[in-house]
Amino acid sequence: MTRVPRNTYRLQVTPDFDLYAAASRLSYLHALGIDWVYLSPLLASEPGSQHGYDVVAFDHVDEERGGPEGLAALSAEARRLGMGVLVDIVPNHVGVATPTEDPWWWDVLRLGRESEHASAFDVDWAAGDGRILIPVVGDDDEASIRIQDGEVRYHDQRFPLAPGTSTLEEQHYELVSWRAADDDLNYRRFFAVNTLAAVRVEDPEVFAETHVEIRRWFDQGLVDGLRVDHPDGLRDPKRYLDDLAALTGGAHVLVEKILEPGESLPTSWATAGTTGYEVLALVDRVLTDPAGEAPLTRLEDRLRGEPVDWARMVHDNKRAVADGILHAEVKRITRELQRLMDGAPGSVTEAEVEDAVAELLACFPVYRSYLPEGRAHLDEAFAAARAHRKDLAAAYDALEPVLSDPWTAPARRFQQTSGMVMAKGVEDCSFYRWSRLTSLNEVGADPSVFAVAPAAFHDAMALRQREWPHAMTTTSTHDTKRGEDVRARIAVLSELPDVWEAALDELLRLVPVPDPAFGSLLWQAVLGVWTPDHLPDLPERLHGYAEKAMREAGDHTTWTEPDEEYETAVHAAVHAVFTSPEVQRVLTDLCAHIDEPGRSNSLSLKLVALTVPGVPDVYQGSELWETSLVDPDNRRPVDFEHRAAVLAGTDSDDAVTKLHVTCSALTLRRDRPELFTTYDVVPARGPAAEHVLSFDRGGAITVATRLPVGLGTVGGWADTTLDLPPGTWHDVLTGLRATGRLDDLLAVHPVALLVRED
């Protein structure tokens, strides 16, 4: 029988926090109530890699992370404590930034198509005239390429020399300008990252060779489950998951799959479910005041000088990606289509095919289809593309039968590519251009969906309990744009739009920025992380965030062509946070409105996420305030000594209540799983009924405050009550007997977790 975790705790294993260090923290995690430890990628990766997603070898655990001995030590400690081990794996791609570190890539560069590993990589050899194009050369720097000591060198980069050759022209690869990547790259990548080359795990031999170490983990009982990174990049995710199930003996497997609103995970997949971004979006929105949508929309439109058409913005940014940084992928799909269509009656030109492919990618409504599953999404894309570009009707007619056939190469490659375009056009661009309420601009979420009513939330959770009871639930990850408590604070603005508008106008007056709408995004980030007694690293963190946010937005400055004047003005605003008394006065006044409701939102968000259907995950450190921004900020080291001391009662922290709520809920979920087997609404009655979210999981009842500012304006809980099921109940957070009166039940904390006294 497959072992299933009752909860998990994500640790980022790095060269500085290796497997031995992780093992030393398991006793603290066990005391916190954790059932399984959940580890970031462990296979050998690029030297010094802080994340591990740039795997360079599949046959051993990364030595910098502790090596196989480190994993054995961690697994042994987990077994001693009765804990399970879940590991993140990366089947889609490998790191090729340092060819000498990746023996497969080195061999392919050295021997070309004759290499025994040539079939492992997704290379279009014909497009490069038999050579792999490596886009590393700087502008006007071709003279720096040289042959030295039996290798090709470019500055400190090393590449192999083919046997029996002595010139660059004889190699199986060509070092080309970095600018050629967008249009001419002829190997598939992870998104637009040239140094992450895709591998073909759909080939049974490649699958076996890339999973040799993972097989050992299960053969030796070191690991209990897996999280699969980016399954949407794979040729055939369903087949891959079937292969993985066979290899692991049907172990617990989760997929990092982003679902758009209304989209469902294919039930045919051999997985327990997703990593939970869709639940994060629902929890955030049930704590967001729908009354704030209209005034915050008006504010955003005023700042931009025109109304924001989110659907149009998404389409246009996706189209820009398809025509820009991922144009090489579009051209490859076009080449594959042309091979099938050449000579067909009524053939369209190559340019028309390429244009139509790019438009279809821009119109695709979800990350990808898995034909024949998801055919409706492809049909929707064709309908939208036909409406938007009527001039390409003939091209669509030619493409539709090919792209609808799951067995054609172009259809499979199109499916692998649509998710890349979505991620780069939406998450990594549009999310930084719409600042209406940035707590909604989160991975796996649609910012145009402003709020979710409690009834809709309950319906979604009841469905989750029926269909995906063992999927993961998350609130913060290494990929989230803002940590959970940053979002909880920003969400308060939905209840205080007038207060926010006045404060923002004053901040923009004190420190003007060229784009006031981006200024709104920036000041929301500041509001989410700033306190008068902030830590010394906050200036550096906020400057780093500002740089990434404005360059990812890409409408005024970019990574490759930074606008110095624009960036200087934005950094001046960040600088003013720490040097201007006037700015600090505005922030202090604003925080006076935000702090308490933000704390209430944080505790509600945490308890709800820990107790709804699914397996709750706690991202490292988020048992205390999680005020991280986008990566790499959210991968900073965690002070576990401090957390252990706070848990033991030997140190203090202003987030001790959050730690208490987290520990109580995790422990109950781990030790009393029978209390979390169903899902029913616990009705509330009275004048403040809309301000409570309450549900019964089968013996454990969650009670959480929502919209705390509005609660204050209606006079508090007054005579509002819960219709508790029969029995005598007590709150595990306070130890007090619970009645249905909310003014008594929530007198100590804005949340409660009830169980029967018997």
Side-chain angles (χ1 to χ4, degrees), residues 432-456:
Y432 294 97
R433 292 192 188 182
W434 198 21
S435 52
R436 179 175 67 172
L437 186 67
T438 58
S439 55
L440 306 178
N441 298 18
E442 196 47 84
V443 176
D446 182 344
S448 69
V449 179
F450 192 86
V452 169

PDB file of all heavy atoms in Angstrom, residues 432-456:
ATOM      1  N   TYR A 432       3.949  41.513 -13.538  1.00  0.00           N
ATOM      2  CA  TYR A 432       4.681  42.701 -13.104  1.00  0.00           C
ATOM      3  C   TYR A 432       4.145  43.978 -13.754  1.00  0.00           C
ATOM      4  O   TYR A 432       4.651  45.062 -13.479  1.00  0.00           O
ATOM      5  CB  TYR A 432       6.164  42.546 -13.416  1.00  0.00           C
ATOM      6  CG  TYR A 432       6.838  41.452 -12.616  1.00  0.00           C
ATOM      7  CD1 TYR A 432       7.032  40.179 -13.154  1.00  0.00           C
ATOM      8  CD2 TYR A 432       7.261  41.685 -11.311  1.00  0.00           C
ATOM      9  CE1 TYR A 432       7.641  39.177 -12.418  1.00  0.00           C
ATOM     10  CE2 TYR A 432       7.876  40.689 -10.570  1.00  0.00           C
ATOM     11  CZ  TYR A 432       8.057  39.436 -11.132  1.00  0.00           C
ATOM     12  OH  TYR A 432       8.654  38.449 -10.393  1.00  0.00           O
ATOM     13  N   ARG A 433       3.134  43.833 -14.602  1.00  0.00           N
ATOM     14  CA  ARG A 433       2.590  45.007 -15.291  1.00  0.00           C
ATOM     15  C   ARG A 433       1.202  45.405 -14.800  1.00  0.00           C
ATOM     16  O   ARG A 433       0.702  46.445 -15.200  1.00  0.00           O
ATOM     17  CB  ARG A 433       2.527  44.739 -16.801  1.00  0.00           C
ATOM     18  CG  ARG A 433       3.883  44.624 -17.453  1.00  0.00           C
ATOM     19  CD  ARG A 433       3.757  44.666 -18.968  1.00  0.00           C
ATOM     20  NE  ARG A 433       5.025  44.382 -19.627  1.00  0.00           N
ATOM     21  CZ  ARG A 433       5.194  44.401 -20.942  1.00  0.00           C
ATOM     22  NH1 ARG A 433       4.164  44.694 -21.729  1.00  0.00           N
ATOM     23  NH2 ARG A 433       6.370  44.125 -21.474  1.00  0.00           N
ATOM     24  N   TRP A 434       0.582  44.555 -13.992  1.00  0.00           N
ATOM     25  CA  TRP A 434      -0.747  44.889 -13.467  1.00  0.00           C
ATOM     26  C   TRP A 434      -0.662  44.911 -11.958  1.00  0.00           C
ATOM     27  O   TRP A 434      -0.430  43.887 -11.326  1.00  0.00           O
ATOM     28  CB  TRP A 434      -1.775  43.865 -13.927  1.00  0.00           C
ATOM     29  CG  TRP A 434      -3.191  44.372 -13.800  1.00  0.00           C
ATOM     30  CD1 TRP A 434      -3.598  45.665 -13.727  1.00  0.00           C
ATOM     31  CD2 TRP A 434      -4.375  43.571 -13.743  1.00  0.00           C
ATOM     32  NE1 TRP A 434      -4.970  45.728 -13.635  1.00  0.00           N
ATOM     33  CE2 TRP A 434      -5.473  44.455 -13.649  1.00  0.00           C
ATOM     34  CE3 TRP A 434      -4.631  42.203 -13.765  1.00  0.00           C
ATOM     35  CZ2 TRP A 434      -6.797  44.016 -13.568  1.00  0.00           C
ATOM     36  CZ3 TRP A 434      -5.942  41.761 -13.704  1.00  0.00           C
ATOM     37  CH2 TRP A 434      -7.003  42.662 -13.606  1.00  0.00           C
ATOM     38  N   SER A 435      -0.857  46.084 -11.379  1.00  0.00           N
ATOM     39  CA  SER A 435      -0.602  46.260  -9.945  1.00  0.00           C
ATOM     40  C   SER A 435      -1.855  46.569  -9.148  1.00  0.00           C
ATOM     41  O   SER A 435      -1.782  47.115  -8.066  1.00  0.00           O
ATOM     42  CB  SER A 435       0.434  47.369  -9.740  1.00  0.00           C
ATOM     43  OG  SER A 435       0.058  48.543 -10.432  1.00  0.00           O
ATOM     44  N   ARG A 436      -3.034  46.182  -9.658  1.00  0.00           N
ATOM     45  CA  ARG A 436      -4.294  46.499  -8.984  1.00  0.00           C
ATOM     46  C   ARG A 436      -4.278  46.032  -7.524  1.00  0.00           C
ATOM     47  O   ARG A 436      -4.536  46.794  -6.596  1.00  0.00           O
ATOM     48  CB  ARG A 436      -5.462  45.856  -9.737  1.00  0.00           C
ATOM     49  CG  ARG A 436      -6.811  46.115  -9.087  1.00  0.00           C
ATOM     50  CD  ARG A 436      -7.937  45.569  -9.940  1.00  0.00           C
ATOM     51  NE  ARG A 436      -7.943  44.116 -10.035  1.00  0.00           N
ATOM     52  CZ  ARG A 436      -8.926  43.411 -10.609  1.00  0.00           C
ATOM     53  NH1 ARG A 436      -9.956  44.055 -11.157  1.00  0.00           N
ATOM     54  NH2 ARG A 436      -8.867  42.097 -10.657  1.00  0.00           N
ATOM     55  N   LEU A 437      -3.995  44.756  -7.305  1.00  0.00           N
ATOM     56  CA  LEU A 437      -3.824  44.188  -5.964  1.00  0.00           C
ATOM     57  C   LEU A 437      -2.854  43.033  -6.125  1.00  0.00           C
ATOM     58  O   LEU A 437      -3.221  41.951  -6.572  1.00  0.00           O
ATOM     59  CB  LEU A 437      -5.153  43.709  -5.381  1.00  0.00           C
ATOM     60  CG  LEU A 437      -5.103  43.238  -3.926  1.00  0.00           C
ATOM     61  CD1 LEU A 437      -4.799  44.401  -2.981  1.00  0.00           C
ATOM     62  CD2 LEU A 437      -6.400  42.555  -3.516  1.00  0.00           C
ATOM     63  N   THR A 438      -1.598  43.259  -5.769  1.00  0.00           N
ATOM     64  CA  THR A 438      -0.544  42.330  -6.178  1.00  0.00           C
ATOM     65  C   THR A 438      -0.517  41.040  -5.370  1.00  0.00           C
ATOM     66  O   THR A 438       0.196  40.109  -5.743  1.00  0.00           O
ATOM     67  CB  THR A 438       0.834  43.015  -6.098  1.00  0.00           C
ATOM     68  OG1 THR A 438       1.060  43.481  -4.766  1.00  0.00           O
ATOM     69  CG2 THR A 438       0.896  44.194  -7.066  1.00  0.00           C
ATOM     70  N   SER A 439      -1.280  40.951  -4.292  1.00  0.00           N
ATOM     71  CA  SER A 439      -1.398  39.668  -3.601  1.00  0.00           C
ATOM     72  C   SER A 439      -2.056  38.626  -4.501  1.00  0.00           C
ATOM     73  O   SER A 439      -1.931  37.419  -4.258  1.00  0.00           O
ATOM     74  CB  SER A 439      -2.209  39.828  -2.313  1.00  0.00           C
ATOM     75  OG  SER A 439      -3.478  40.401  -2.585  1.00  0.00           O
ATOM     76  N   LEU A 440      -2.743  39.088  -5.548  1.00  0.00           N
ATOM     77  CA  LEU A 440      -3.411  38.182  -6.480  1.00  0.00           C
ATOM     78  C   LEU A 440      -2.505  37.747  -7.626  1.00  0.00           C
ATOM     79  O   LEU A 440      -2.846  36.820  -8.367  1.00  0.00           O
ATOM     80  CB  LEU A 440      -4.657  38.859  -7.066  1.00  0.00           C
ATOM     81  CG  LEU A 440      -5.663  39.418  -6.052  1.00  0.00           C
ATOM     82  CD1 LEU A 440      -6.816  40.093  -6.775  1.00  0.00           C
ATOM     83  CD2 LEU A 440      -6.179  38.318  -5.134  1.00  0.00           C
ATOM     84  N   ASN A 441      -1.357  38.415  -7.787  1.00  0.00           N
ATOM     85  CA  ASN A 441      -0.442  38.121  -8.899  1.00  0.00           C
ATOM     86  C   ASN A 441       0.510  37.003  -8.490  1.00  0.00           C
ATOM     87  O   ASN A 441       1.713  37.211  -8.334  1.00  0.00           O
ATOM     88  CB  ASN A 441       0.347  39.373  -9.276  1.00  0.00           C
ATOM     89  CG  ASN A 441      -0.521  40.512  -9.753  1.00  0.00           C
ATOM     90  OD1 ASN A 441      -1.723  40.534  -9.523  1.00  0.00           O
ATOM     91  ND2 ASN A 441       0.081  41.493 -10.408  1.00  0.00           N
ATOM     92  N   GLU A 442      -0.037  35.818  -8.311  1.00  0.00           N
ATOM     93  CA  GLU A 442       0.760  34.724  -7.782  1.00  0.00           C
ATOM     94  C   GLU A 442       0.760  33.539  -8.731  1.00  0.00           C
ATOM     95  O   GLU A 442      -0.182  33.339  -9.507  1.00  0.00           O
ATOM     96  CB  GLU A 442       0.214  34.313  -6.401  1.00  0.00           C
ATOM     97  CG  GLU A 442       1.145  33.464  -5.580  1.00  0.00           C
ATOM     98  CD  GLU A 442       2.571  34.017  -5.555  1.00  0.00           C
ATOM     99  OE1 GLU A 442       2.853  34.903  -4.745  1.00  0.00           O
ATOM    100  OE2 GLU A 442       3.402  33.536  -6.368  1.00  0.00           O
ATOM    101  N   VAL A 443       1.819  32.765  -8.669  1.00  0.00           N
ATOM    102  CA  VAL A 443       1.954  31.574  -9.498  1.00  0.00           C
ATOM    103  C   VAL A 443       0.708  30.702  -9.336  1.00  0.00           C
ATOM    104  O   VAL A 443       0.255  30.439  -8.224  1.00  0.00           O
ATOM    105  CB  VAL A 443       3.210  30.777  -9.085  1.00  0.00           C
ATOM    106  CG1 VAL A 443       3.304  29.482  -9.895  1.00  0.00           C
ATOM    107  CG2 VAL A 443       4.455  31.617  -9.258  1.00  0.00           C
ATOM    108  N   GLY A 444       0.156  30.277 -10.464  1.00  0.00           N
ATOM    109  CA  GLY A 444      -1.020  29.431 -10.425  1.00  0.00           C
ATOM    110  C   GLY A 444      -2.322  30.172 -10.244  1.00  0.00           C
ATOM    111  O   GLY A 444      -3.378  29.542 -10.104  1.00  0.00           O
ATOM    112  N   ALA A 445      -2.278  31.504 -10.246  1.00  0.00           N
ATOM    113  CA  ALA A 445      -3.481  32.291 -10.022  1.00  0.00           C
ATOM    114  C   ALA A 445      -3.752  33.194 -11.211  1.00  0.00           C
ATOM    115  O   ALA A 445      -2.867  33.477 -12.013  1.00  0.00           O
ATOM    116  CB  ALA A 445      -3.342  33.128  -8.749  1.00  0.00           C
ATOM    117  N   ASP A 446      -4.990  33.673 -11.300  1.00  0.00           N
ATOM    118  CA  ASP A 446      -5.404  34.608 -12.345  1.00  0.00           C
ATOM    119  C   ASP A 446      -5.758  35.921 -11.667  1.00  0.00           C
ATOM    120  O   ASP A 446      -6.770  36.011 -10.960  1.00  0.00           O
ATOM    121  CB  ASP A 446      -6.613  34.042 -13.092  1.00  0.00           C
ATOM    122  CG  ASP A 446      -7.079  34.941 -14.227  1.00  0.00           C
ATOM    123  OD1 ASP A 446      -6.675  36.121 -14.260  1.00  0.00           O
ATOM    124  OD2 ASP A 446      -7.861  34.475 -15.074  1.00  0.00           O
ATOM    125  N   PRO A 447      -4.954  36.981 -11.838  1.00  0.00           N
ATOM    126  CA  PRO A 447      -5.217  38.243 -11.149  1.00  0.00           C
ATOM    127  C   PRO A 447      -6.553  38.880 -11.507  1.00  0.00           C
ATOM    128  O   PRO A 447      -7.034  39.744 -10.775  1.00  0.00           O
ATOM    129  CB  PRO A 447      -4.053  39.141 -11.598  1.00  0.00           C
ATOM    130  CG  PRO A 447      -2.980  38.203 -12.028  1.00  0.00           C
ATOM    131  CD  PRO A 447      -3.697  37.024 -12.601  1.00  0.00           C
ATOM    132  N   SER A 448      -7.157  38.475 -12.618  1.00  0.00           N
ATOM    133  CA  SER A 448      -8.454  39.041 -12.980  1.00  0.00           C
ATOM    134  C   SER A 448      -9.576  38.475 -12.113  1.00  0.00           C
ATOM    135  O   SER A 448     -10.674  39.030 -12.081  1.00  0.00           O
ATOM    136  CB  SER A 448      -8.759  38.795 -14.460  1.00  0.00           C
ATOM    137  OG  SER A 448      -8.988  37.428 -14.718  1.00  0.00           O
ATOM    138  N   VAL A 449      -9.319  37.361 -11.432  1.00  0.00           N
ATOM    139  CA  VAL A 449     -10.275  36.824 -10.456  1.00  0.00           C
ATOM    140  C   VAL A 449      -9.942  37.465  -9.119  1.00  0.00           C
ATOM    141  O   VAL A 449      -8.946  37.115  -8.479  1.00  0.00           O
ATOM    142  CB  VAL A 449     -10.185  35.287 -10.366  1.00  0.00           C
ATOM    143  CG1 VAL A 449     -11.177  34.754  -9.337  1.00  0.00           C
ATOM    144  CG2 VAL A 449     -10.427  34.661 -11.732  1.00  0.00           C
ATOM    145  N   PHE A 450     -10.760  38.420  -8.695  1.00  0.00           N
ATOM    146  CA  PHE A 450     -10.399  39.274  -7.569  1.00  0.00           C
ATOM    147  C   PHE A 450     -10.662  38.613  -6.218  1.00  0.00           C
ATOM    148  O   PHE A 450      -9.844  38.705  -5.302  1.00  0.00           O
ATOM    149  CB  PHE A 450     -11.176  40.590  -7.659  1.00  0.00           C
ATOM    150  CG  PHE A 450     -10.687  41.649  -6.716  1.00  0.00           C
ATOM    151  CD1 PHE A 450      -9.639  42.494  -7.080  1.00  0.00           C
ATOM    152  CD2 PHE A 450     -11.271  41.825  -5.469  1.00  0.00           C
ATOM    153  CE1 PHE A 450      -9.183  43.469  -6.213  1.00  0.00           C
ATOM    154  CE2 PHE A 450     -10.827  42.800  -4.593  1.00  0.00           C
ATOM    155  CZ  PHE A 450      -9.775  43.629  -4.971  1.00  0.00           C
ATOM    156  N   ALA A 451     -11.812  37.981  -6.075  1.00  0.00           N
ATOM    157  CA  ALA A 451     -12.173  37.389  -4.788  1.00  0.00           C
ATOM    158  C   ALA A 451     -13.030  36.161  -5.021  1.00  0.00           C
ATOM    159  O   ALA A 451     -13.603  35.969  -6.101  1.00  0.00           O
ATOM    160  CB  ALA A 451     -12.915  38.402  -3.917  1.00  0.00           C
ATOM    161  N   VAL A 452     -13.112  35.311  -4.006  1.00  0.00           N
ATOM    162  CA  VAL A 452     -13.933  34.107  -4.049  1.00  0.00           C
ATOM    163  C   VAL A 452     -14.836  34.118  -2.822  1.00  0.00           C
ATOM    164  O   VAL A 452     -14.353  34.318  -1.696  1.00  0.00           O
ATOM    165  CB  VAL A 452     -13.060  32.833  -4.069  1.00  0.00           C
ATOM    166  CG1 VAL A 452     -13.902  31.591  -3.844  1.00  0.00           C
ATOM    167  CG2 VAL A 452     -12.304  32.723  -5.387  1.00  0.00           C
ATOM    168  N   ALA A 453     -16.110  33.910  -3.025  1.00  0.00           N
ATOM    169  CA  ALA A 453     -17.057  33.877  -1.914  1.00  0.00           C
ATOM    170  C   ALA A 453     -16.877  32.596  -1.109  1.00  0.00           C
ATOM    171  O   ALA A 453     -16.468  31.561  -1.651  1.00  0.00           O
ATOM    172  CB  ALA A 453     -18.484  33.968  -2.442  1.00  0.00           C
ATOM    173  N   PRO A 454     -17.193  32.625   0.194  1.00  0.00           N
ATOM    174  CA  PRO A 454     -17.061  31.411   1.009  1.00  0.00           C
ATOM    175  C   PRO A 454     -17.784  30.203   0.424  1.00  0.00           C
ATOM    176  O   PRO A 454     -17.271  29.092   0.471  1.00  0.00           O
ATOM    177  CB  PRO A 454     -17.650  31.837   2.353  1.00  0.00           C
ATOM    178  CG  PRO A 454     -17.363  33.303   2.434  1.00  0.00           C
ATOM    179  CD  PRO A 454     -17.543  33.799   1.022  1.00  0.00           C
ATOM    180  N   ALA A 455     -18.981  30.408  -0.145  1.00  0.00           N
ATOM    181  CA  ALA A 455     -19.726  29.269  -0.695  1.00  0.00           C
ATOM    182  C   ALA A 455     -18.949  28.603  -1.827  1.00  0.00           C
ATOM    183  O   ALA A 455     -18.882  27.359  -1.907  1.00  0.00           O
ATOM    184  CB  ALA A 455     -21.093  29.738  -1.185  1.00  0.00           C
ATOM    185  N   ALA A 456     -18.353  29.405  -2.710  1.00  0.00           N
ATOM    186  CA  ALA A 456     -17.566  28.842  -3.810  1.00  0.00           C
ATOM    187  C   ALA A 456     -16.309  28.154  -3.281  1.00  0.00           C
ATOM    188  O   ALA A 456     -15.887  27.110  -3.805  1.00  0.00           O
ATOM    189  CB  ALA A 456     -17.197  29.941  -4.801  1.00  0.00           C
TER     190      ALA A 456
END
